[in-house]
Amino acid sequence: MTLRLHNTLTKTKDALEDFPGFDRTNVRMYVCGPTVYDYAHIGNARPVIVFDVVFRLLRHLYGAAHVNYVRNITDIDDKINARAAELAAARGSDVEAARAEITAATAGQYLQDVTALGCLPPTHTPRATDYVREMVAMIETLIAAGHAYAAEGHVLYDVSSKPDYGKLARRSLDEMIAGARVDVAPYKKSPMDFVLWKPSDAATPGWPSPWGRGRPGWHIECSAMGAALLGETFDVHGGGIDLVFPHHENEIAQSEGAHQGHPLARIWMHNGFLQVEGEKMSKSLGNFVTINQLLQDWPGEVLRFNMLRSHYRQPMDWTVAGMTESWKTLERWYAIAEPVAGPRVGAAFLAALCDDLNTPQAIAELHRAPEDELAGGLGLLGFSNVQLRIAAKKAVDTTAIADAIAARNEARKAKNFRESDRIRDALLAQGIVLKDGPGGTTWEVKR
Ligand code: AMP
Ligand code: ZN
């Protein structure tokens, strides 16, 4: 089965296997990760879940040992610095310590959230702070190659040095200059030139560099981490649609500029945006939902399933009604089949996933699949049934179960086995399984 993915660069569905140099024993994917200063919201969950399914599909097709997935953690960023400055001021403490504390806590929360959504840990999750040396080296290479220039403690990428700048966003330089809200600054040759390095004052986190103490721009972070962990050219680069311009356009300019024009990624994948009950999610509209808040009321796998019912490139509307329906479908399926991660998946299901990750079609195939293919399909999509079982356990009336167990013990003592069996069977009919052991009787929710 050949995997074809819609490529933002070519606007066609491309097969990785058609690219010269594609190595099926070393399939490489990079996805832009979170900027860690606040809780991730359910919109941020979309790329995490979508690319986790791509990761699982690649592992299924090429073998788990042959797929390398990098999702970075952006822990150098001016939004983080602003939070760190507030925290440091409130405490009268050091801004660098505040930055480290905020990013460590937020990254930890993020990992917990996405694990609850059933996402596998990527092969590598590099932090920008661990790759500043590589960023400085890449900037030096860009200056030497004539793609960048230093000015007033800044280093800027010279977009006029790259004639195909704009090829991902499909805009010409003139269009971009006319349409973009770009910073005009005296040290820039062109308003489109973007920052690779900028100076830090004493109250801002910074690192030593040939251009003085400062910090990298966001775009160079990804180019340097990607190259360090995956090499010059990799197979899939992903993120949300909002990252196409300028972030990914600039990543291409930097990486190709530093690597003699070798392409950065073969296929560029972008997910559409999620909105809530028909509206853009925003704090002012009061419909801003963090993953963490959602997980208080819903099992993570319900959110995962709800997400996969839409095709990743379409905008999706997140609704409570959709979540409720997703929960019902999963419950019905789990009653028939326990998900297994393994080789047994249906051909039509796999064909749907290989056709630009058509998860709604793949789910439709599961509705008509036999039991074993349903189990395999759910496993490939990253479902495990653990959380629904826990949710079911929380929802059952534990006092009533304890009373029933006590009554059953009385009946057994009185050798009234007809009654004790009746109680056991009545519980079983409600999905509660009793286990008699040396320490007494325990119960669990039937799998
Ligand atoms: P950010 O932390 O804003 O850089 O976002 C992290 C990831 O989430 C990026 O890939 C964004 O494109 C993506 N993203 C942000 N908001 C949404 C949304 N409402 N729907 C889908 N993806 C989003
Ligand atoms: Zn990036």
Side-chain angles (χ1 to χ4, degrees):
M1 194 94 52
T2 307
L3 171 62
R4 289 180 186 277
L5 296 166
H6 181 270
N7 189 351
T8 309
L9 197 58
T10 60
K11 293 268 187 282
T12 55
K13 286 185 197 173
D14 293 342
L16 282 176
E17 294 174 17
D18 290 344
F19 285 86
F22 172 70
D23 179 359
R24 51 171 51 238
T25 68
N26 182 19
V27 182
R28 292 158 292 170
M29 174 163 80
Y30 186 97
V31 174
C32 298
T35 304
V36 283
Y37 65 100
D38 208 347
Y39 285 99
H41 58 67
I42 56 174
N44 300 138
R46 193 171 191 195
V48 186
I49 293 171
V50 162
F51 291 104
D52 181 67
V53 174
V54 178
F55 183 37
R56 288 172 186 271
L57 180 59
L58 291 171
R59 286 158 60 103
H60 180 86
L61 295 171
Y62 299 109
H66 298 150
V67 185
N68 266 305
Y69 172 24
V70 176
R71 187 182 64 220
N72 71 288
I73 292 173
T74 298
D75 62 353
I76 305 177
D77 180 273
D78 284 347
K79 290 190 284 285
I80 299 173
N81 292 343
R83 291 280 169 104
E86 280 169 29
L87 184 64
R91 291 213 189 130
S93 66
D94 170 47
V95 71
E96 179 47 41
R99 191 204 60 76
E101 188 182 322
I102 291 169
T103 56
T106 312
Q109 178 67 51
Y110 182 82
L111 186 65
Q112 199 180 315
D113 288 350
V114 303
T115 304
L117 299 179
C119 298
L120 293 171
T123 323
H124 303 281
T125 47
R127 286 159 197 263
T129 43
D130 291 329
Y131 288 83
V132 176
R133 214 166 35 122
E134 286 79 356
M135 296 168 202
V136 168
M138 190 177 253
I139 296 170
E140 286 181 309
T141 305
L142 286 170
I143 294 175
H147 287 298
Y149 55 95
E152 298 179 30
H154 294 72
V155 182
L156 294 140
Y157 192 97
D158 179 355
V159 294
S160 72
S161 72
K162 185 109 174 42
D164 62 359
Y165 183 78
K167 68 180 167 185
L168 184 71
R170 295 182 171 242
R171 286 187 250 183
S172 73
L173 200 52
D174 289 342
E175 278 168 353
M176 284 186 278
I177 292 174
R181 281 179 294 143
V182 286
D183 296 336
V184 182
Y187 48 80
K188 282 188 180 182
K189 286 191 201 163
S190 153
M192 289 311 293
D193 291 353
F194 59 89
V195 166
L196 301 173
W197 188 265
K198 56 189 156 189
S200 290
D201 61 20
T204 309
W207 289 261
S209 83
W211 318 285
R213 183 173 171 279
R215 58 199 192 280
W218 171 36
H219 317 304
I220 197 75
E221 295 179 16
C222 282
S223 280
M225 288 185 275
L229 291 163
L230 296 177
E232 291 187 356
T233 298
F234 38 84
D235 298 294
V236 178
H237 193 314
I241 189 83
D242 58 321
L243 299 187
V244 170
F245 189 84
H247 185 53
H248 288 163
E249 192 70 56
N250 292 353
E251 279 189 36
I252 291 176
Q254 295 161 160
S255 297
E256 292 187 355
H259 301 142
Q260 296 95 40
H262 299 155
L264 170 54
R266 297 187 165 113
I267 294 184
W268 287 84
M269 285 180 78
H270 293 99
N271 65 271
F273 255 45
L274 172 148
Q275 55 175 20
V276 172
E277 308 280 358
E279 284 182 316
K280 184 174 189 275
M281 188 167 39
S282 84
K283 287 198 169 132
S284 58
L285 287 174
N287 64 355
F288 187 92
V289 191
T290 67
I291 302 173
N292 190 251
Q293 282 165 340
L294 196 90
L295 291 173
Q296 318 280 324
D297 299 324
W298 301 88
E301 57 200 297
V302 172
L303 179 110
R304 184 181 181 93
F305 188 67
N306 199 44
M307 208 67 97
L308 297 178
R309 287 170 57 199
S310 303
H311 187 255
Y312 76 94
R313 284 201 287 130
Q314 300 303 319
M316 92 163 264
D317 194 23
W318 186 94
T319 61
V320 170
M323 287 287 282
T324 307
E325 199 180 316
S326 295
W327 193 331
K328 277 195 198 135
T329 304
L330 274 182
E331 242 168 20
R332 203 171 62 237
W333 278 351
Y334 288 160
I336 309 169
E338 186 72 12
V340 282
R344 185 84 182 94
V345 296
F349 167 84
L350 192 60
L353 290 183
C354 285
D355 179 15
D356 193 27
L357 208 72
N358 193 338
T359 53
Q361 182 63 36
I363 288 169
E365 298 297 345
L366 290 186
H367 277 288
R368 39 180 177 258
E371 233 173 81
D372 58 337
E373 288 183 9
L374 173 59
L378 285 171
L380 201 163
L381 291 176
F383 292 93
S384 69
N385 188 14
V386 171
Q387 295 175 41
L388 278 200
R389 246 183 275 140
I390 294 170
K393 194 157 183 162
K394 273 194 203 143
V396 295
D397 185 342
T398 50
T399 324
I401 296 172
D403 289 350
I405 290 176
R408 176 168 168 265
N409 285 342
E410 287 301 314
R412 288 165 84 196
K413 243 188 254 164
K415 301 218 180 319
N416 183 354
F417 296 116
R418 181 187 294 216
E419 174 63 4
S420 66
D421 285 354
R422 188 197 63 78
I423 295 173
R424 189 199 56 209
D425 294 345
L427 286 173
L428 192 60
Q430 297 169 42
I432 307 298
V433 186
L434 297 187
K435 290 221 162 110
D436 296 314
T441 304
T442 56
W443 62 272
E444 61 181 41
V445 178
K446 189 169 74 177
R447 292 166 34 125

